[in-house]
Amino acid sequence: MEIGFIGLGLMGRPMAGHLLAAGHALHLWARRPETLEAWRDRAGVRLHGSAADVARYADLVFTVVADAPDVEQVTLGARGLAEGARPGLIVIDMSTIAPAAARDIGRRLEERGIEFLDAPVSGGETGAIDATLTIMVGGKQTVFERARPLLECLGQTITHIGPTGAGQVAKACNQILTAMGIAAVAEAFNFARASGVDPARVREALLGGFAASRILDAHGQRMLERNFRPGFKAWMHQKDLRIVMAEAQRLGLTLPGAAATTQLFNALVGSGGGEEDSIAVLKLLERLSGYSDHGNDPSP
Amino acid sequence: MEIGFIGLGLMGRPMAGHLLAAGHALHLWARRPETLEAWRDRAGVRLHGSAADVARYADLVFTVVADAPDVEQVTLGARGLAEGARPGLIVIDMSTIAPAAARDIGRRLEERGIEFLDAPVSGGETGAIDATLTIMVGGKQTVFERARPLLECLGQTITHIGPTGAGQVAKACNQILTAMGIAAVAEAFNFARASGVDPARVREALLGGFAASRILDAHGQRMLERNFRPGFKAWMHQKDLRIVMAEAQRLGLTLPGAAATTQLFNALVGSGGGEEDSIAVLKLLERLSGYSDHGNDPSP
């Protein structure tokens, strides 16, 4: 199949690689041309001068960019996908953007005869590299069925949630659960430590009961090892929480736990921790308890 | 073994039954005498007129009561366990109380030659009935080893966390994780619904990724089925969060997520939901979004 791919960053690069490895022809364009250098002269890859040019050759185009204005620019902007699209082109946006923005972009693409799926992912860089991403899809069932074999090259749990925007709603729910989950483990570990109790023993005991979660297991272990390398950067989690809270305000929804957790991520990013993994909220809480950043000894 | 058991409520009753079934002799006393009626004339059971009398016959006594003043009264109060104890008696308190209170009671019992373990549990009434409780134990390692065969009659995951009070610290951590976990799932489900998306699809998708947890799985399913029967009552979870927040204030710890969640439980209990399961926070959030309590139709 002729596949376009736009957004060759931390997540997009391994994802495009999986599609190429599965035998598809790749059509690439990048907003920063240097991004394309690694792909030049690779068999099965063709580089283009614009998103519109990618659309002229592709049956289906993936976009994996940062936020709604980027998706809009690449799809509907000058020399964007819509300008070059043949009838029946499918655009699959795997970025995390507001549900309302996804619905708007989807509607405007459909008006031009272009099919659209919002298909945000969870699982981070590791999930992209191992092709074990969780993919939450919004859009027409028929389009989803056509895209499914390609999504199966990228992820493990692929769920059609509902109409356009529903993928982004599920992703927002995912970010509420992961942010509050990370905050809960960080608060519990700091509570244990300040009480003179080994958080490793607490984690072990709690994994056997109702408090068990993948976050307590995997992220909890990384907190114990004091491994704050991203993974998923704190500023990106903060950005996703901004989407959640803006949508809650629009809908008139109260989200007390997510709101408090957003404040925690604001403080983490504000105090210089944005480039670390979002589990670095533990270090923020420790600093507020008078512990040093190395985590082994209370500060003098 | 001659075993005393005090606190034959929702949790204590099935637990005492497991010990009896394992072949131990049970010595019972209850603050409300009618509680004992069901145990009269049962083989292997002897009823007593005071906690002190129980201690005169028992090698080991379990207490499963509501809060620290109850534990103190039963152990150190008038006609309490300490008055009748033979040297070397082991008292295992499985109530959820403040770590500082457990340390204080443990110290005062030890001064009288009585061994003490704090061994709070997680897993609710189902866990007590099925003997699948998570048991978090604080106290001396040697005493823990002697008690372990009995604890294995009651639970599945039995962990020695550290010295006296450490069991209660782990339980406090457990209550932070479960309260925030329930709040996160309730907030996410209400967000999905208000966005026109089926929470059941969201739950299914998210169980395949990093947001997966026993709470999303089991409690999420009960929320979908609108089954708010306890389980674990909201007022008890609120009580446990009061312990967590009081301890945090004593230690100078910031717990922003747990604090916001405590407010949510305060509102749930304050608005009359204390006797429902703590997952009824979903209904509270729904009411604040203008949905009716039946959950199927938005209120007019």
Side-chain angles (χ1 to χ4, degrees):
Chain A
M1 207 163 161
E2 304 290 321
I3 294 180
F5 206 105
I6 293 171
L8 297 161
L10 220 60
M11 298 291 290
R13 198 165 31 222
M15 291 163 76
H18 295 313
L19 294 164
L20 185 62
H24 299 288
L26 278 190
H27 297 272
L28 305 181
W29 169 76
R31 286 174 296 172
R32 287 172 298 130
E34 64 273 23
T35 312
L36 294 177
E37 284 313 310
W39 297 88
R40 193 175 295 283
D41 302 325
R42 284 182 65 174
V45 176
R46 186 161 166 192
L47 308 185
H48 295 276
S50 70
D53 284 341
V54 167
R56 285 188 182 93
Y57 292 89
D59 306 308
L60 188 151
V61 180
F62 287 97
T63 55
V64 189
V65 294
D67 208 345
D70 310 285
V71 181
E72 193 166 352
Q73 185 204 325
V74 162
T75 54
L76 292 153
R79 307 191 71 201
L81 292 171
E83 280 189 16
R86 293 174 291 165
L89 173 70
I90 298 175
V91 173
I92 304 183
D93 178 45
M94 305 189 88
S95 323
T96 295
I97 67 175
R103 287 185 205 106
D104 177 61
I105 291 166
R107 185 185 48 72
R108 288 156 69 195
L109 287 173
E110 274 193 33
E111 285 170 4
R112 300 166 187 232
I114 301 168
E115 301 287 0
F116 179 77
L117 298 176
D118 53 304
V121 303
S122 160
E125 194 187 356
T126 314
I129 291 168
D130 301 341
T132 55
L133 292 168
T134 298
I135 309 178
M136 297 151 272
V137 189
K140 291 181 200 152
Q141 179 82 40
T142 51
V143 180
F144 170 70
E145 293 303 341
R146 283 160 61 199
R148 192 205 289 265
L150 295 170
L151 296 174
E152 284 170 353
C153 300
L154 308 175
Q156 210 161 37
T157 308
I158 298 150
T159 310
H160 183 239
I161 307 287
T164 306
Q168 296 295 351
V169 171
K171 177 66 189 277
C173 292
N174 188 75
Q175 298 309 74
I176 291 172
L177 290 184
T178 53
M180 285 182 69
I182 288 168
V185 173
E187 291 186 14
F189 279 14
N190 198 42
F191 181 95
R193 180 188 180 186
S195 305
V197 168
D198 182 2
R201 303 293 293 157
V202 170
R203 171 178 167 278
E204 190 190 318
L206 269 48
L207 280 175
F210 256 105
S213 68
R214 275 194 70 182
I215 285 174
L216 177 61
D217 189 359
H219 291 336
Q221 183 58 34
R222 287 169 63 216
M223 288 182 196
L224 293 175
E225 293 165 359
R226 307 201 71 77
N227 171 7
F228 299 104
R229 284 191 308 275
F232 186 61
K233 289 182 180 176
W235 74 261
M236 298 188 74
H237 216 150
Q238 186 204 20
K239 181 215 92 178
D240 294 351
L241 288 169
R242 176 176 54 68
I243 293 173
V244 168
M245 297 316 293
E247 196 72 4
Q249 182 146 18
R250 200 176 68 78
L251 294 166
L253 280 181
T254 180
L255 302 175
T261 303
T262 300
Q263 294 299 314
L264 204 49
F265 278 84
N266 287 353
L268 175 59
V269 173
S271 60
E275 291 294 324
E276 290 197 277
D277 192 273
S278 61
I279 65 167
V281 288
L282 176 67
K283 290 206 285 188
L284 172 67
L285 292 173
E286 287 173 344
R287 282 198 295 278
L288 294 170
S289 310
Y291 291 106
S292 77
D293 259 12
H294 299 293
N296 295 316
D297 26 62
S299 61
Chain B
M1 207 165 163
E2 304 290 322
I3 294 181
F5 206 105
I6 294 171
L8 296 162
L10 222 60
M11 299 290 290
R13 199 165 29 227
M15 292 163 77
H18 295 313
L19 293 164
L20 185 62
H24 299 287
L26 277 191
H27 296 272
L28 306 181
W29 168 77
R31 286 175 295 171
R32 288 171 299 128
E34 63 272 23
T35 312
L36 293 178
E37 284 313 309
W39 297 87
R40 193 175 295 280
D41 302 325
R42 284 182 66 176
V45 176
R46 185 160 167 191
L47 310 185
H48 296 275
S50 70
D53 283 342
V54 167
R56 283 188 182 95
Y57 291 89
D59 306 309
L60 189 150
V61 180
F62 288 97
T63 56
V64 189
V65 294
D67 208 347
D70 309 285
V71 181
E72 193 167 351
Q73 186 204 324
V74 163
T75 54
L76 293 153
R79 305 191 73 200
L81 292 171
E83 281 190 16
R86 292 174 292 164
L89 173 70
I90 299 175
V91 172
I92 304 183
D93 177 44
M94 306 189 88
S95 323
T96 295
I97 66 174
R103 286 184 205 108
D104 177 59
I105 291 167
R107 186 185 47 74
R108 288 158 67 196
L109 288 173
E110 274 193 34
E111 285 170 4
R112 299 165 188 234
I114 301 167
E115 301 287 359
F116 179 76
L117 297 176
D118 53 304
V121 303
S122 162
E125 193 186 355
T126 314
I129 292 169
D130 302 341
T132 56
L133 293 167
T134 299
I135 309 178
M136 297 151 274
V137 188
K140 289 182 203 154
Q141 180 79 39
T142 49
V143 180
F144 170 70
E145 293 304 341
R146 282 160 61 197
R148 193 206 287 264
L150 294 170
L151 296 174
E152 283 170 353
C153 300
L154 308 175
Q156 212 160 37
T157 308
I158 298 149
T159 311
H160 182 240
I161 307 287
T164 305
Q168 296 295 351
V169 170
K171 177 66 188 280
C173 292
N174 188 76
Q175 298 311 74
I176 292 173
L177 290 184
T178 52
M180 286 183 69
I182 288 168
V185 173
E187 291 186 15
F189 279 14
N190 199 42
F191 181 95
R193 180 186 181 188
S195 305
V197 168
D198 182 1
R201 304 293 292 155
V202 171
R203 172 177 166 279
E204 190 190 317
L206 270 47
L207 280 175
F210 255 105
S213 67
R214 275 193 71 180
I215 285 174
L216 177 61
D217 189 359
H219 291 337
Q221 183 57 34
R222 287 170 63 216
M223 287 183 196
L224 294 174
E225 293 165 359
R226 308 200 71 76
N227 171 6
F228 299 105
R229 284 191 308 276
F232 186 61
K233 289 182 179 176
W235 74 262
M236 296 188 75
H237 216 151
Q238 186 204 21
K239 180 215 93 179
D240 294 350
L241 289 168
R242 175 175 54 69
I243 292 173
V244 168
M245 297 316 293
E247 196 70 6
Q249 183 147 17
R250 200 176 67 79
L251 293 166
L253 280 180
T254 180
L255 302 176
T261 304
T262 300
Q263 294 298 314
L264 204 48
F265 278 84
N266 286 352
L268 175 59
V269 173
S271 60
E275 291 294 324
E276 292 197 277
D277 192 273
S278 60
I279 66 167
V281 287
L282 176 67
K283 290 206 285 187
L284 171 69
L285 293 173
E286 287 172 345
R287 282 198 297 276
L288 294 170
S289 310
Y291 292 105
S292 77
D293 259 12
H294 299 295
N296 295 317
D297 25 62
S299 61

